Amino acid sequence: MMRQDSNDATEDVSLFDTEDETRRKSKKSKIRHPLACFFHLFFRVSAILVYLLCEILSSSFIACMVTIILLLSCDFWTVKNITGRLLVGLRWWNQVDDDGRSHWIFEARKPSTQGKTASSDSESRIFWLGLVICPLIWVIFFFSALFSFKLKWLAVVIMGVVLQCANLYGYVKCKVGNKSNLKSMATNYFGRQFFRQAAKEEGS
């Protein structure tokens, strides 16, 4: 009877553990900032659609150019200042010190022990897919305009490539970190591996 009770107790614990795991997975997959996810994709996708459909929507090149540049500018500001901070906990900006020197600052939010401020997997996936795919599309537009001799659209396409790639570079820099951080991470990793190997040899 004692063995049966102990087995029942262990089964109950395992059931509670599975419930906790399902709750954690649901929290990770849940979109906590739907409005930020919407505007993260809205401006950049709208700029691409206007560029593709500009000849159908309007015969005025200036109106299409101004609309695309406004959408790209709104997208650059929104992604740089809002969606990156909310969706993945990253931000970057430029700061000028008292001596007039320009400094680029890249920050990443530290993961909390309780996991309240951690971004969900769905939000992170939406953020990075939109951040990577759209610049690639503008690069394709650049070569298409160049080889088809649509020189008047090159200025618009170059603006799209520059603004989209600037945010991509900034957030990749926030995610990966600078070279000194990578070197310190590598030295710490190999140092831990060395001490573990030494401890195993002493124990044996």
Side-chain angles (χ1 to χ4, degrees):
M1 293 296 292
M2 291 297 292
R3 291 180 180 176
Q4 185 176 1
D5 294 336
S6 62
N7 291 332
D8 293 338
T10 54
E11 289 178 359
D12 292 336
V13 172
S14 64
L15 287 174
F16 289 133
D17 290 338
T18 54
E19 290 178 358
D20 292 337
E21 289 179 359
T22 53
R23 289 177 182 175
R24 290 169 187 164
K25 290 180 181 179
S26 63
K27 287 181 179 180
K28 287 183 179 180
S29 61
K30 185 179 180 182
I31 297 178
R32 302 177 184 176
H33 306 92
L35 195 62
C37 293
F38 172 76
F39 282 106
H40 177 71
L41 300 175
F42 173 74
F43 291 116
R44 53 184 53 212
V45 173
S46 298
I48 293 172
L49 291 177
V50 171
Y51 178 81
L52 291 174
L53 304 175
C54 59
E55 295 181 356
I56 300 174
L57 297 175
S58 176
S59 59
S60 175
F61 168 75
I62 296 176
C64 294
M65 180 184 68
V66 172
T67 303
I68 293 171
I69 292 176
L70 284 176
L71 289 172
L72 289 172
S73 301
C74 293
D75 171 73
F76 179 81
W77 185 88
T78 303
V79 174
K80 178 180 176 294
N81 297 308
I82 298 177
T83 60
R85 179 173 53 86
L86 292 178
L87 300 182
V88 291
L90 303 173
R91 63 176 180 173
W92 64 275
W93 72 93
N94 181 267
Q95 183 177 357
V96 180
D97 57 12
D98 297 334
D99 297 331
R101 296 178 180 177
S102 178
H103 299 280
W104 293 96
I105 301 174
F106 305 93
E107 287 187 351
R109 182 174 56 198
K110 296 180 180 179
S112 63
T113 56
Q114 296 178 354
K116 293 181 180 180
T117 58
S119 59
S120 65
D121 293 339
S122 298
E123 290 179 343
S124 179
R125 194 177 298 111
I126 291 171
F127 178 83
W128 288 109
L129 284 176
L131 198 69
V132 173
I133 292 175
C134 291
L136 294 177
I137 295 175
W138 283 106
V139 170
I140 294 172
F141 289 163
F142 172 78
F143 288 106
S144 175
L146 184 64
F147 293 141
S148 60
F149 299 101
K150 294 181 179 179
L151 300 180
K152 65 179 181 179
W153 288 104
L154 276 179
V156 180
V157 175
I158 290 173
M159 180 72 70
V161 172
V162 170
L163 292 178
Q164 300 275 301
C165 290
N167 262 328
L168 177 61
Y169 173 79
Y171 281 112
V172 169
K173 191 79 172 177
C174 293
K175 186 71 174 178
V176 177
N178 52 26
K179 293 182 179 179
S180 61
N181 289 334
L182 290 176
K183 289 180 180 178
S184 62
M185 289 172 61
T187 53
N188 291 332
Y189 173 77
F190 287 116
R192 286 195 298 266
Q193 294 296 327
F194 175 76
F195 284 121
R196 286 179 183 174
Q197 188 68 25
K200 287 181 181 178
E201 291 178 357
E202 289 179 359
S204 61

